Amino acid sequence: MTDDERRRLAEPSGATSEWDLWGPYLSERQWGTVREDYSADGSAWTYLPHDHARSRAYRWGEDGLAGFSDREQRLCLGIALWNGRDPILKERPFGLTGPQGNHGEDVKDYWWYLDAVPSHAWNRWRYHYPHAEFPYADLVAENGRRGRDEPEYELLDTGVFDQDRFWIVDVTYAKASPTDLLMSVQVTNAGPEREVVHVLPTAWFRNTWTWTPDAPRPKLAASGNAAVDITHPVLGELELLTAPGSDGTLPSLLFCENETNANRLYGVTPGTRYPKDGINDHVVSGAPSINPARAGTKSAAWYCLSIAPGSTVELRLRLRPAASSSDPQTALGTDFDRVMADRQAEADDFYAELTPPAATPDEAMVMRQAFAGLLWSKQLYAFTVARWLDGDPGLPPPPGARRTGRNDRWRTFDAFDIMSMPDKWEYPWFAAWDLAFHCVALAHVDPGFAKSQLLLICREWFQHPNGALPAYEWDFGDVNPPVQAWAALEVFAIDGGRDLDFLSRVFDKLMVNFTWWINREDSDGSNVFEGGFLGLDNIGPLDRSHLPVGGRLEQADATGWMAGYALSMATIAAILYRTGQRPGLDLTVKFLEHFAGIRNALDRQGLWDAADGLFYDRLVTPSGVAVPVKAQSMVGIIPMLAAAVVDEPTLDHAVAVGKQFAGLLDRHLPTDPGPLETAGLLRGDPGERRLLVGAVGVDRVTQLFRRLFDPEEFLSPYGLRSLSAYHRDHPYTVDVEGVRATIDYEPAESTTAMFGGNSNWRGPVWFPLNYLATSALQRYARFFGKDFSVEYPTGSGELVTLDAVVADLWARSASIFVVGPDQRRPCFGWVDRLQHDPNWRENLMFHEYFHGDNGAGLGASHQTGWTGLVADVIRRRHGVVPSIDDVILRLGAEGEQQ
């Protein structure tokens, strides 16, 4: 691969490269979001429902199918489809709102992210569209009828795809240059009969003029019969070329305005005769709702295609600067072919270099589609809380209740940034701890973007002045696990361990956040932390964010997260010190002191249950009575994740200080090196020895291993369950202050409405905690080597080293997606069409979580975000990813040579 090709594919670092001007920055659902909710009661799902989406101009962003835009979402591209039977154009994915779905919000269309490169010089997307009328009403009614104990009613269940009566729509974007974007739309009739489909590639401007007085208004206008002239005050003069269809017929160019249809929604006189849904109404019903002057702020090229069974038709469009050198026929012909072929070849080379030599072709495909999903899931996230609360100049003010409602204490939040979304339909807003996992996976393909994301969440317009990091837009003030320091270390290592400036920048901001945690989430100063649900939703019998009784919940997971946070910060400080980046030895000791205090609390504050071999949360009532909450879940495993290796110079300095960390060593790890070496906790030659430091002692870790590796408890064929399967036959009930709550093992969707939606940690396999647990085990394995064995699985009688356990757990995680000996992919579950049909079986979705017993994908269907970690797992299990321990050792050796 040439240097130019490398630069085109992987140069972008956030929004700083010319090649990332155009990308998949469009949401797939803007309706039903907090940003667009201007109601008095905060009912985001009902204030702007799907039925209004085609008719109402959005305030903060846009959405669409196969969406592309410039990085400030000024000009958007996408497609609309119509089978001649639907009541509306298919312009955006359809799904159920949180209250409608029997397991919460639930998208009902099928689309896939097949390919992408970091610069978005090559992106491929696929969608399956029924020939028959889309069953909107049936999906709403049947899911509404079903209870939480029943499966979701999916589009495949309706029979609308029977006999292959659907269209396969493939959209490919390729770039000839940073400002020259090619769009290919290929439509295949998968059915047995000739059918007609209407395809409308669409270009429109995000509405910026309604919300800002005197803002310039851009313009789209027909240029002859085959092109649209585009005039924008920032983007300049562009042209959108359209090629004839397969029958030689040019599309009809339709125009309207991206403005609200006030007559349809509110029964008042509209501001324009050609509103946002004008093209929809004209195509579907022949309404005179398009501008006969062929100009506006929204435009579509209307193709009507009659396609024989099994045949494919290609449509071509090209967005480029006006007055480009090549003529339209060449630009959409031979030159179009050349660019497409070149970009595909470059993408193939890019992923060939990323694929481990030992990986199977199936693993390579899974890895590539996982990375594609991550790269497609970038989105412009625009949200200024102060303006959202107060209203826009010249427009009616929002209801007064909003001033003291959601996010009213986050007036400093002012985002206008490209961000990695958890899921651009179900969760089209960032989540702080999700984002950390995204970045670890993204670091393999676009480390610059990964680093920019970790820095962004700590920037002044995101981080609260008090140091808190925003959780997610439904409640910025909620608390997510503090995994940003861990993620920064992983990204630093994956990127080669050279970008010390990045590590130093993120360290400074995280010190402020760490201090916020210490001051705000440890109410009695005991080093046992609170925090609420901490991203784990329904993991316990009680709502941990809103306790139904008085008192406080001392949390094993929050305390474990903070122990890990302290160790990660100590590690960053040690790296910065050892490399001469900054005088960081005192800061290293500072965080080791914090860690020692937390470790002491885990030992002394009653969170550990020796009989059960687990940590438990503890509810302390107002009267001072402490009630353990004995749900056997990942909450009790998280303290084990906090483990690190301390080098001898740092160790000597910490001991010399003579404070908490030295006391910790005296109590648990005598500072005489003899016993440490005998116990195997201090290794290496004098002067270069390394000490394993963990929030949980080795004796307790061994007990945790017995629970974690038990197939009857946490060990699933597909990884580690979030709740022990012990509760399948032994539900746990807690009684406290007149409140009775129960939890049992639920391997699939949640049956409780405690957190609403599809929130469920009661048994399924989740990638983030599996990844963290396996990474922690890898650290133990690397330190102890062949000197430490465990029974694995528990009850098998087989003793294996920890590196064998790690290899098996990585394999279990990857096996969710790859074809097994039974020729099935576990992620497809029981759906035979997905397992075997050639039109479906190679199209992967990366679900939010997976059935704890059979590995079927559940929850949000496009949450490549943290589930995209499977790409990292595939590379890591084949030995091509450096660990942070490797990087630290290398940096130490380099420092000694200088």
Side-chain angles (χ1 to χ4, degrees), residues 217 256-263 268-277 289 291 297:
R217 189 185 185 95
C256 64
E257 302 293 342
N258 186 13
E259 295 189 13
T260 298
N261 186 342
N263 183 52
V268 300
T269 303
T272 173
R273 295 170 56 193
Y274 315 112
K276 179 179 176 179
D277 54 10
S289 50
N291 189 347
T297 49

Side-chain angles (χ1 to χ4, degrees), residues 33-45 47-48 56 59-60 383-392 396-411 473-474 476:
T33 62
V34 168
R35 303 187 296 289
E36 301 295 339
D37 175 20
Y38 281 78
S39 68
D41 59 0
S43 300
W45 286 115
Y47 178 76
L48 204 169
R56 189 185 297 185
R59 167 63 180 89
W60 294 100
F383 191 22
T384 301
V385 170
R387 179 167 279 199
W388 179 76
L389 291 170
D390 298 337
D392 291 296
R402 293 170 58 84
R403 297 282 185 100
T404 56
R406 179 178 288 132
N407 296 323
D408 66 300
R409 297 186 179 184
W410 285 80
R411 284 182 166 272
E473 74 173 26
W474 286 92
F476 286 145

